[in-house]
Amino acid sequence: MTPSANDQAPDEAAADEAMQWYLRLKDDSATEEDQRAFQAWLDRDPRHARAYRDTEQLWQEIEAPARLMAARRNARSSRRLRPIRGGYGQRQPACWWRCSWWPAYGEIPG
């Protein structure tokens, strides 16, 4: 008897376990014992490997846009913090040393 396509598709329980394994192994505290237990879990059922591959793919698809957004945010913030006369990030007019109307530090314009 050959396995059908439904027998090879990961079930919900296998998908949940795959997610738990993925998160456990991604954690910095994962041990060699965790790796051995994971390999034993994979070897128990061919659907486990499929569920784990699906989980990895899902996380890669989720993380890619997040990394892109973080890179863009970092690029924008580094542009905002360029040195300007008077320090980083201070919003002063380009002619701050010549403008007599610019209030002194701590002075409230009135």
Side-chain angles (χ1 to χ4, degrees), residues 84-87 91-102:
I84 303 173
R85 290 187 193 267
R91 299 288 185 200
Q92 297 176 346
C95 64
W96 69 272
W97 63 92
R98 288 186 274 165
C99 297
S100 60
W101 55 268
W102 189 257

Side-chain angles (χ1 to χ4, degrees), residues 40-87:
W41 176 78
L42 283 178
D43 294 341
R44 260 198 318 266
D45 190 332
R47 291 178 291 187
H48 292 174
R50 172 64 189 226
Y52 192 78
R53 281 193 308 270
D54 291 348
T55 298
E56 283 182 313
Q57 183 178 359
L58 173 68
W59 276 93
Q60 289 171 359
E61 290 171 3
I62 290 171
E63 288 178 341
R67 286 189 186 122
L68 180 61
M69 289 172 56
R72 286 182 180 167
R73 185 176 348 106
N74 290 341
R76 278 195 308 264
S77 65
S78 67
R79 284 193 304 256
R80 262 187 266 143
L81 295 177
R82 286 189 192 139
I84 303 173
R85 290 187 193 267

Side-chain angles (χ1 to χ4, degrees), residues 21 24-25 27-41:
W21 276 115
R24 184 185 305 178
L25 296 176
D27 191 344
D28 292 336
S29 65
T31 64
E32 288 293 322
E33 186 176 326
D34 291 332
Q35 289 288 342
R36 286 190 296 272
F38 170 67
Q39 190 60 51
W41 176 78

